[in-house]
Amino acid sequence: DTISTQRDDITEAKATLIKTIKEIETTATVQFLSAFETVRTHFIDVFRSLFTEDDNCDLILENPEDPLESKIEIIAKPKGKRPTTINQLSGGEKTLTATALLVALYLLKPATFCIFDEVDAPLDDAKVGRYANMVKEMSKQVQFIYITHNKIAMEMADQLMGVTMHEPGCSRLVSVDVDEAAALAEA
């Protein structure tokens, strides 16, 4: 009798665990699909702001029947190109595609500030301008700190901070308010 009671308890516990696991998977799947669609929409919007409105991109679940275990395919097709993989894009196109994806993920759950470290390094001047415009537009809702050596990106900034070595081994921080500097230059 004791063994039968224990077996029944174990069988009941197993059924309860299986039910709980299914509930968790169902909830996780619904939340994942909702987040995935939001990120996908943001990715398309940000990608087109960094490229052109005619360019195409998408995020596709390889196995939509099992989204929690599915791989996600990133499709990026700048105008005039038909790459079969992301590896066929130029360095600047890969960078902008990755930036679009990161910003899309960021927009899912924004924070108060965002840090980019030399994202614009592999970009040509036209792409740097689009990147800087995106940062400028987003800076209405979030504070950006971005590290750059690019003059175009620096011109788009409101505040510049630099590190200079006035004497060997002695670094110094230099800060410039761009609007204030422009007003002084005009005066």
Side-chain angles (χ1 to χ4, degrees), residues 3 19 30 35 37 43 45 54 60 65 70 92 96 98 125 131 134 141 143 147 157 165-166 183:
I3 293 175
K19 181 181 174 193
V30 168
E37 277 307 310
F43 177 59
D45 292 342
D54 297 330
I60 297 173
E65 292 79 32
S70 178
L96 286 183
D125 289 349
Y131 159 76
M134 179 202 67
Q141 286 87 27
Q143 185 172 357
I147 299 160
M165 193 176 292
H166 189 66

Side-chain angles (χ1 to χ4, degrees), residues 33-102:
L33 289 174
S34 173
F36 179 79
E37 277 307 310
T38 302
V39 168
R40 182 177 170 267
T41 301
H42 288 312
F43 177 59
I44 292 168
D45 292 342
V46 175
F47 183 87
R48 287 182 176 161
S49 75
L50 291 173
F51 287 89
T52 70
E53 285 295 318
D54 297 330
D55 294 324
N56 291 313
C57 70
D58 208 349
L59 296 176
I60 297 173
L61 291 172
E62 289 184 1
N63 183 7
E65 292 79 32
D66 189 9
L68 298 180
E69 296 296 324
S70 178
K71 291 183 180 181
I72 299 172
E73 185 177 354
I74 302 168
I75 297 173
K77 295 183 178 183
K79 190 175 177 183
K81 291 193 172 186
R82 296 291 172 235
T84 55
T85 69
I86 201 162
N87 292 329
Q88 293 176 329
L89 298 175
S90 71
E93 291 166 338
K94 287 179 193 175
T95 298
L96 286 183
T97 301
T99 301
L101 183 57
L102 288 173

Side-chain angles (χ1 to χ4, degrees), residues 104-148:
L105 290 167
Y106 173 82
L107 291 172
L108 179 66
K109 194 159 178 116
T112 51
F113 65 92
C114 184
I115 301 173
F116 285 147
D117 187 2
E118 296 193 49
V119 170
D120 56 1
L123 304 179
D124 61 29
D125 289 349
K127 288 181 177 74
V128 169
R130 290 194 295 268
Y131 159 76
N133 284 331
M134 179 202 67
V135 169
K136 187 95 169 161
E137 183 63 31
M138 288 181 64
S139 68
K140 294 173 184 172
Q141 286 87 27
V142 62
Q143 185 172 357
F144 275 90
I145 298 171
Y146 64 92
I147 299 160
T148 186

